[in-house]
Amino acid sequence: MARFLALCSKELLLLLRDKHGLLVLFVVPASFILIMSLALQDAFNPQSMLRIHVAISNLDGGQLSHTLEKALRESPGLEITATGDAQVHVRILKGFSELLATRYDFADDYIQGESEPTLLQVSYSPGIPPQLKAAVALTLRQVVQSVQSDYLLETVLGYPRDKIRLLRYVNDPRHLPIAENFVAQNGHRMQAPTSVQQNVPAWLIFAIFFTVIPLATTFVIERGQGSLLRLRALNVTAVELFASKALPYYIVNMVQMLLMLAIGIWLVPLLGGDRLTLGQSPAGLWLIGSATSFAAISLALLVAVVVRTTVQATIAGGAISLILAALGGIMVPKMVMPPAMQRLTEISPMAWSLDGFWAIVLRQGGWQDVLPQAGMLMLFGLLSLTFAGYFYRHHQ
């Protein structure tokens, strides 16, 4: 036991002396959490996503064109602005009011894309996302149809304006008696997901897996200095050696997890972002965090025994971590990936870990809910350790 503790102390001392390794493990992921949580804050807010800057040029001057312009100004999600700042430019050309008043099928044709393009033109900025473009098109078609139907009800059928306004209110989807909420895994209501709930677990996992670089680097240095050969002469087994390296890094990973969660809880809100909620299961967080640490350290040990130089350790460790992060929904949220890429994420242990953290912080689950993800991470770690032990015994 004394020899094992001495080996652990040696490993921890080497890590504390490695300023670049500590920078990778703590400062880099903390920076990513702050930057990405604040940068993607609007992406998780439906109200922010629907803020579309629209410029209107009314060259018609008729009654219905002014009614259309007013209706667009009152439409939720559309923010009328100057032409230079607009993402969308709507041009109402001369003759629009007359055509809308005399051609009763104009609105239907416009909705189906069969209307005269010279009377109502819509220009989009090249950088507008496809989802916003579709939202603008849908809103504009609905407004055109509403303007024409109101005109027909009042002019042709003689409906009073108050009654038309009441009909519009009743038929508006925003006023339908629909209750929307988010339901947690235990059936209880929960708050809407936020960017901080994506980015804190994601970059925490990334930080844990980045232990491959300092661990593999120190392993290569020890091999070059002859330390591993001397340890073998002292009958230090592969199990004892791996365990002595794993325990200090496990402690570091748990400190990483506490620090990153603290950043999400206290620092991100101070900078104007959303506050991270941890759910109701500290045991679940510890379980998925420990399983993630075991998988990451095992992968790091496998890389360490395979590479031969510190340059190889840095390149291989960084490349593996980046590829697993890209595939696992760390860098790009899984929800915005196409279906084929979403299925591909299932091969990355980082995706398993992220699902486990979400089961706790997002879906309010308990420790039982992370058992599948934790089990897969432990199996991945055991396979990595098995290969690491084989290469250590036969190729060192």
Side-chain angles (χ1 to χ4, degrees):
M1 178 59 71
R3 184 171 67 177
F4 175 73
L5 293 176
L7 289 172
C8 292
S9 300
K10 180 264 300 178
E11 194 67 32
L12 193 57
L13 184 61
L14 287 174
L15 178 60
L16 292 175
R17 289 176 177 174
D18 184 5
K19 294 182 176 58
H20 296 94
L22 292 175
L23 184 71
V24 168
L25 295 179
F26 288 94
V27 179
V28 171
S31 301
F32 272 121
I33 286 175
L34 292 174
I35 294 171
M36 301 304 291
S37 295
L38 297 174
L40 295 177
Q41 187 170 250
D42 285 353
F44 287 78
N45 185 349
Q47 300 302 323
S48 299
M49 290 180 67
L50 291 176
R51 273 205 312 265
I52 307 169
H53 298 283
V54 178
I56 302 176
S57 298
N58 189 351
L59 306 179
D60 176 64
Q63 176 188 348
L64 293 183
S65 66
H66 286 300
T67 304
L68 175 64
E69 183 177 355
K70 180 182 178 182
L72 290 175
R73 292 181 182 277
E74 296 174 351
S75 295
L78 300 186
E79 186 173 326
I80 307 304
T81 183
T83 303
D85 301 326
Q87 298 168 286
V88 180
H89 190 180
V90 178
R91 295 179 180 86
I92 309 173
L93 302 186
K94 188 172 181 59
F96 172 82
S97 294
E98 182 180 355
L99 184 64
L100 196 63
T102 57
R103 263 196 57 189
Y104 297 155
D105 58 347
F106 174 79
D108 292 334
D109 286 349
Y110 183 79
I111 290 173
Q112 297 170 13
E114 299 174 358
S115 67
E116 289 83 347
T118 56
L119 296 181
L120 189 61
Q121 296 178 346
V122 185
S123 303
Y124 299 97
S125 169
I128 189 171
Q131 297 88 340
L132 294 187
K133 179 178 178 295
V136 171
L138 178 62
T139 299
L140 188 57
R141 290 166 182 169
Q142 290 176 336
V143 170
V144 170
Q145 189 176 41
S146 175
V147 169
Q148 187 178 48
S149 62
D150 287 356
Y151 171 78
L152 295 177
L153 286 172
E154 182 180 0
T155 305
V156 179
L157 300 180
Y159 272 62
R161 288 191 178 184
D162 292 341
K163 191 171 183 178
I164 295 174
R165 193 176 297 113
L166 178 61
L167 286 173
R168 185 189 302 168
Y169 179 89
V170 172
N171 294 322
D172 192 333
R174 291 170 295 166
H175 300 123
L176 294 176
I178 300 175
E180 297 180 320
N181 55 68
F182 291 89
V183 179
Q185 199 154 306
N186 57 11
H188 296 157
R189 290 188 180 183
M190 54 176 285
Q191 294 181 342
T194 62
S195 65
V196 75
Q197 289 173 310
Q198 156 71 24
N199 287 291
V200 171
W203 295 107
L204 162 61
I205 295 164
F206 184 76
I208 290 176
F209 270 86
F210 239 69
T211 55
V212 64
I213 293 180
L215 195 156
T217 301
T218 57
F219 195 93
V220 170
I221 293 174
E222 286 183 304
R223 182 197 292 131
Q225 293 175 344
S227 299
L228 296 182
L229 189 60
R230 289 192 292 271
L231 290 175
R232 277 193 168 187
L234 295 172
N235 294 323
V236 175
T237 65
V239 173
E240 192 174 9
L241 176 64
F242 288 173
S244 68
K245 291 183 175 295
L247 181 59
Y249 278 94
Y250 171 75
I251 296 172
V252 169
N253 290 159
M254 293 299 101
V255 174
Q256 283 179 300
M257 185 170 74
L258 292 175
L259 178 61
M260 303 306 160
L261 293 178
I263 289 174
I265 295 172
W266 289 296
L267 184 55
V268 173
L270 285 178
L271 298 178
D274 298 303
R275 183 179 183 274
L276 176 68
T277 54
L278 295 184
Q280 308 297 323
S281 179
L285 285 174
W286 171 82
L287 178 58
I288 192 63
S290 297
T292 303
S293 176
F294 178 70
I297 292 171
S298 300
L299 178 62
L301 288 170
L302 176 58
V303 172
V305 299
V306 171
V307 299
R308 285 292 176 264
T309 66
T310 55
V311 174
Q312 289 178 354
T314 303
I315 294 176
I320 291 173
S321 297
L322 289 172
I323 291 172
L324 292 179
L327 289 176
I330 303 298
M331 296 181 175
V332 179
K334 181 179 176 180
M335 67 185 71
V336 302
M337 292 181 179
M341 283 298 298
Q342 290 186 16
R343 291 190 293 270
L344 192 59
T345 61
E346 300 304 323
I347 69 174
S348 173
M350 290 194 189
W352 312 336
S353 178
L354 188 57
D355 284 342
F357 274 103
W358 277 355
I360 303 298
V361 303
L362 188 59
R363 297 190 288 271
Q364 307 292 307
W367 65 269
Q368 303 93 331
D369 298 304
V370 301
L371 288 178
Q373 294 85 359
M376 293 172 66
L377 289 166
M378 295 296 289
L379 180 59
F380 175 84
L382 288 173
L383 289 174
S384 299
L385 280 180
T386 300
F387 284 109
Y390 172 82
F391 282 108
Y392 179 74
R393 284 191 291 269
H394 295 85
H395 297 280
Q396 296 302 312

